[in-house]
Amino acid sequence: MPLDQSFVGRTYPPTEPYIVGREKIREFARAIGAPEREYQDPEAARALGYADVIAPPTFPIIFTMASSHAQIVEDPVLGIDYSRVVHGDQRFAYARPIVAGDALVCVNTVEEITSRGGHDFMTTRSDVATEAGEPVVTVWAKLVQRGEE
């Protein structure tokens, strides 16, 4: 069954804040093989003008994927069959780097739903800001629901 086109443009309520931890940034940087000192050492980050270590550019996948999954993918009315979903694409547009200590809120939106060749393609957008409303990053993800076999 194709995804419901009426979901295009639907925006979900803001998430609870995700508190960015220094150790989480360090672990993520090590896991992806990012050797830059500003991801590990607060002094190196301060020398660049930041209050604490900064996160690698793909770090938001940790909390945006979880929040969009909880709000969009698990929305029973949309009807995604997650057993047939593959990740198709990911993009990030930054207003500023993520810094340890940030409390970040996501506002998730279904940006596009299309069907081609029996498969459904859904693009979600997560607008990430601080609790005070300062924009930090926008994250787009494309999910592909394979057609039934």
Side-chain angles (χ1 to χ4, degrees), residues 23-34 56 58-59 61-62:
E23 225 22 69
K24 184 66 88 172
I25 290 174
R26 288 174 172 157
E27 290 168 356
F28 186 85
R30 283 191 298 272
I32 65 169
T58 55
F59 182 83
I61 194 77
I62 291 172

Side-chain angles (χ1 to χ4, degrees), residues 91-106:
R91 292 184 294 131
F92 304 86
Y94 272 89
R96 68 154 175 87
I98 293 173
V99 179
D102 280 340
L104 302 176
V105 175
C106 298

Side-chain angles (χ1 to χ4, degrees), residues 53-135:
V53 296
I54 60 172
T58 55
F59 182 83
I61 194 77
I62 291 172
F63 56 90
T64 59
M65 187 173 204
S67 72
S68 65
H69 185 88
Q71 291 185 324
I72 298 171
V73 173
E74 292 182 5
D75 188 327
V77 179
L78 179 58
I80 292 178
D81 178 353
Y82 201 66
S83 70
R84 297 187 354 242
V85 170
V86 294
H87 188 261
D89 187 35
Q90 192 80 44
R91 292 184 294 131
F92 304 86
Y94 272 89
R96 68 154 175 87
I98 293 173
V99 179
D102 280 340
L104 302 176
V105 175
C106 298
V107 175
N108 296 305
T109 301
V110 176
E111 197 162 86
E112 179 181 49
I113 295 174
T114 59
S115 294
R116 293 188 306 272
H119 307 295
D120 292 319
F121 298 79
M122 180 175 65
T123 301
T124 62
R125 185 183 78 238
S126 298
D127 295 304
V128 179
T130 64
E131 286 181 294
E134 176 192 6

